[in-house]
Amino acid sequence: MKIFLSGYMGSGKSLIADYISQKMRLPLVDLDDQITLIEELTVSEIFATKGELYFRKLETKVLEDVLEEPIDMIVALGGGTPCYGINMDLIKSHTEANLVYLKASVDFLINRLFQEKETRPVISHLATKDLLEDFIRKHLFERSYYYNQADIVVNVENRKADEIGYEIIQKLK
């Protein structure tokens, strides 16, 4: 079984994937981390120096490699991974894949991400909560079609990672 966690930036994909990995004793793959290891650049640096198209092609290649691995694992996807190219089709057509959407409201994401914006290069230039809100609303509108194709949808608002992880594990049984 391969468990893929999807959701918007700030929804807790990495943290919850780590919890599930420990509880189920499964290896953890963070797709963005894999890409940065391959390129020896951060995601922001890849976007800046090689462009988004290059990043998205590499992201698809790394996703294909993960899907070909003959072992069970938990995979934290990048926020945009399921929304680009053939990525959603790759995940959904894999017989061992379980796609989980970590769902959060715009208000929840604004409050979480505004506090973290300095550590998130994609949004660090957004000086006000209003600008951040416009940014998040636009992305969630564009991505909701993909996110909502998940096998399991879990609301993450005002919940601890272990509680969310436990719910996901129960729903996978």
Side-chain angles (χ1 to χ4, degrees):
M1 168 174 30
K2 290 185 178 15
I3 305 162
F4 292 88
L5 297 188
S6 68
Y8 198 72
M9 166 182 25
S11 63
K13 296 179 298 293
S14 297
L15 186 63
I16 295 163
D18 185 55
Y19 173 86
I20 295 170
S21 168
Q22 289 178 34
K23 289 298 177 189
M24 295 183 74
R25 294 191 171 104
L26 292 174
L28 169 61
V29 174
D30 185 300
L31 214 61
D32 285 347
D33 288 349
Q34 288 297 111
I35 292 168
T36 59
L37 283 172
I38 292 166
E39 289 294 305
E40 298 180 350
L41 296 168
T42 67
V43 172
S44 299
E45 291 168 336
I46 296 168
F47 267 68
T49 60
K50 299 183 178 187
E52 183 177 3
L53 184 59
Y54 178 87
F55 175 83
R56 295 299 174 193
K57 286 181 179 179
L58 181 57
E59 181 180 56
T60 298
K61 174 68 174 107
V62 172
L63 178 61
E64 288 172 333
D65 292 346
V66 165
L67 286 164
E68 288 175 10
E69 285 292 323
I71 59 171
D72 294 344
M73 66 177 70
I74 176 95
V75 182
L77 298 172
T81 305
C83 310
Y84 290 94
I86 61 169
N87 295 346
M88 181 60 84
D89 292 336
L90 289 171
I91 295 167
K92 295 297 282 180
S93 67
H94 196 280
T95 56
E96 297 279 318
N98 291 281
L99 181 60
V100 178
Y101 171 32
L102 303 178
K103 187 174 186 174
S105 70
V106 173
D107 288 338
F108 176 83
L109 293 168
I110 291 166
N111 289 328
R112 176 174 279 181
L113 291 172
F114 196 75
Q115 296 172 15
E116 302 174 4
K117 74 182 188 84
E118 299 308 318
T119 62
R120 296 187 180 266
V122 175
I123 60 170
S124 62
H125 67 285
L126 302 171
T128 67
K129 282 190 173 184
D130 287 341
L131 290 172
L132 181 60
E133 178 179 358
D134 291 344
F135 185 88
I136 292 170
R137 279 192 191 284
K138 176 183 177 285
H139 275 126
L140 281 180
F141 176 77
E142 293 168 346
R143 295 177 177 184
S144 64
Y145 168 78
Y146 299 96
Y147 289 157
N148 286 309
Q149 291 182 47
D151 304 303
I152 298 169
V153 178
V154 177
N155 189 316
V156 299
E157 292 191 37
N158 305 312
R159 298 175 69 196
K160 294 182 179 177
D162 58 345
E163 180 186 345
I164 297 162
Y166 179 79
E167 179 181 342
I168 292 167
I169 291 167
Q170 294 307 306
K171 288 183 175 187
L172 288 167
K173 291 183 177 180

